[in-house]
Amino acid sequence: MSTSILIIYIIVLIGVFYFVGIAPQKKERQKKEELMASLAVGDYVLTTAGMYGQIIDITSDMVIIEFGGKNCRIPMLKAAIQSVEKPDVMATGEVSEEAKKADK
C-alpha cells in the first residue's frame, strides 16, 4: 500500500513540475520563434536594451536596426528583439498588447 502511494506522489510531483516549469517555457519559446519568423524590413522593434528602431536589413541570425538618424545603424542578434510593431501601427500611434506587457 505505501509503495503505491509513493508512486502516486511521484507522478503528481512530476505532473506539477511539468505544468509549472516546462509548459510555460515551451509556450514562451514558441511565441519568440513566431516573433522572429514574422520580422520584415521596415518593422519597428523594441530591443531588450529598451531602444526603438527600424529594421533595415535581415540576415539569418542578425538584423541591422536604424535608431534615430540615418547614421546610427547597429547590427544586433535577432534574440535582442523584444517586440515588433508593424509600420502601419506605428503611424496610427496605437501600442500593441505585447509592447504594453514588455513595458511592465
Side-chain angles (χ1 to χ4, degrees):
M1 185 72 166
S2 65
T3 47
S4 61
I5 293 174
L6 181 63
I7 291 173
I8 291 172
Y9 281 139
I10 291 173
I11 291 172
V12 168
L13 184 64
I14 290 171
V16 167
F17 178 73
Y18 176 79
F19 287 110
V20 171
I22 297 172
Q25 286 180 356
K26 202 182 265 189
K27 184 186 267 187
E28 191 66 31
R29 185 173 49 238
Q30 184 179 14
K31 283 183 183 179
K32 185 79 170 178
E33 288 172 0
E34 290 173 2
L35 178 74
M36 294 303 123
S38 72
L39 290 177
V41 173
D43 288 348
Y44 289 90
V45 295
L46 172 65
T47 66
T48 55
M51 298 185 297
Y52 283 101
Q54 184 177 17
I55 297 177
I56 60 170
D57 192 22
I58 300 175
T59 61
S60 62
D61 63 338
M62 294 191 71
V63 293
I64 297 177
I65 302 175
E66 183 174 77
F67 299 99
K70 294 187 182 246
N71 293 330
C72 187
R73 296 178 177 181
I74 301 173
M76 295 186 152
L77 291 174
K78 284 184 178 180
I81 295 174
Q82 188 171 358
S83 66
V84 177
E85 295 289 332
K86 297 296 178 185
D88 56 339
V89 174
M90 292 298 288
T92 61
E94 297 175 13
V95 179
S96 72
E97 291 300 318
E98 283 184 25
K100 289 179 183 176
K101 289 179 185 176
D103 288 342
K104 291 182 181 179

